[in-house]
Amino acid sequence: EDQVTQSPEALRLQEGESSSLNCSYTVSGLRGLFWYRQDPGKGPEFLFTLYSAGEEKEKERLKATLTKKESFLHITAPKPEDSATYLCAVQAHTGGFKTIFGAGTRLFVKA
Amino acid sequence: NAGVTQTPKFQVLKTGQSMTLQCAQDMNHNSMYWYRQDPGMGLRLIYYSASEGTTDKGEVPNGYNVSRLNKREFSLRLESAAPSQTSVYFCAITANYNEQFFGPGTRLTVL
């Protein structure tokens, strides 16, 4: 069964304190792994797609990496505006258009 | 260009009442989805539509029906609402590289 597990559930950082969020996945043939950001009261917002192990993508203070079993979202020198819930999701080659989401990591960045 | 829109934004129902959640997109994509989001459980797929005229069940379809009215619109109907259907509902579309774009959500409470 395709599955996505994110850790930690919540992460509290001081402004400028770099850290990483983890996404572990099991899927029968990965089509793509996705990261989304969700602000309170809003829908998820697309950040990155990773397709194969070893791939990396960057956007401002965020960098996503992928291995065969997990993905990391590295946050470098975070700012309070980076506070949000970060969702990881996978699509399998055999799953058609279905996307499996993890429960998310709530990130709090204090000034 | 509004992307994905949803109505209503908030709704309170009594057990047994019915209602329809509306979703419309102006992004001209074929695939549309309905998810529910509950605390600690992530996004779960209710129904999806790969193209106009087709719909398929997702992970949690019981108690729901859908209609793909045309390429732009995908509605979700609760025939007899139950307290277990209290949730936040998101409509989404899949874009060119399989990433998803979400609407702002409908917050539903069933008393």
Side-chain angles (χ1 to χ4, degrees):
Chain A
E1 181 182 345
D2 300 336
Q3 205 166 23
V4 177
T5 304
Q6 292 188 246
S7 61
E9 289 186 14
L11 181 62
R12 298 181 183 275
L13 301 174
Q14 289 291 129
E15 183 173 4
E17 180 185 3
S18 300
S19 188
S20 297
L21 283 56
N22 177 263
C23 172
S24 296
Y25 67 92
T26 55
V27 65
S28 52
L30 181 69
R31 172 187 285 164
L33 184 141
F34 307 87
W35 282 98
Y36 294 84
R37 170 189 170 128
Q38 186 174 23
D39 293 301
K42 296 189 176 181
E45 178 185 342
F46 171 72
L47 292 173
F48 304 110
T49 307
L50 301 168
Y51 294 103
S52 58
E55 189 175 1
E56 300 182 351
K57 295 241 177 114
E58 285 188 68
K59 180 180 180 180
E60 296 181 353
R61 295 176 293 282
L62 301 177
K63 178 178 166 180
T65 62
L66 181 65
T67 72
K68 289 186 177 180
K69 293 184 178 180
E70 57 191 350
S71 176
F72 292 93
L73 185 65
H74 306 277
I75 303 176
T76 302
K79 298 182 177 181
E81 53 263 42
D82 294 322
S83 297
T85 296
Y86 291 87
L87 303 174
C88 175
V90 297
Q91 282 186 358
H93 282 295
T94 55
F97 296 94
K98 294 182 184 179
T99 304
I100 309 299
F101 283 84
T105 293
R106 289 175 294 153
L107 176 65
F108 304 92
V109 182
K110 186 176 181 181
Chain B
N1 186 349
V4 180
T5 58
Q6 292 183 235
T7 56
K9 291 186 178 180
F10 300 93
Q11 184 71 50
V12 179
L13 294 177
K14 294 181 180 178
T15 298
Q17 288 185 316
S18 62
M19 78 161 295
T20 299
L21 283 64
Q22 305 286 353
C23 174
Q25 55 123 347
D26 62 3
M27 303 175 78
N28 200 35
H29 287 289
N30 288 317
S31 301
M32 299 185 73
Y33 304 76
W34 277 106
Y35 291 92
R36 60 178 289 173
Q37 187 174 40
D38 301 293
M41 299 190 73
L43 288 155
R44 292 183 292 168
L45 182 64
I46 305 171
Y47 270 94
Y48 67 103
S49 172
S51 62
E52 183 180 351
T54 67
T55 60
D56 286 285
K57 294 179 180 179
E59 182 185 355
V60 288
N62 291 345
Y64 305 95
N65 286 301
V66 290
S67 296
R68 183 71 184 269
L69 304 170
N70 47 54
K71 190 172 185 178
R72 288 189 65 248
E73 298 172 292
F74 188 35
S75 63
L76 178 72
R77 182 160 178 84
L78 287 71
E79 291 291 351
S80 179
S84 61
Q85 294 179 304
T86 293
S87 188
V88 182
Y89 292 85
F90 289 102
C91 177
I93 63 97
T94 294
N96 295 331
Y97 296 96
N98 296 322
E99 73 273 23
Q100 295 194 313
F101 290 94
F102 289 81
T106 294
R107 282 142 191 85
L108 175 66
T109 301
V110 183
L111 302 175

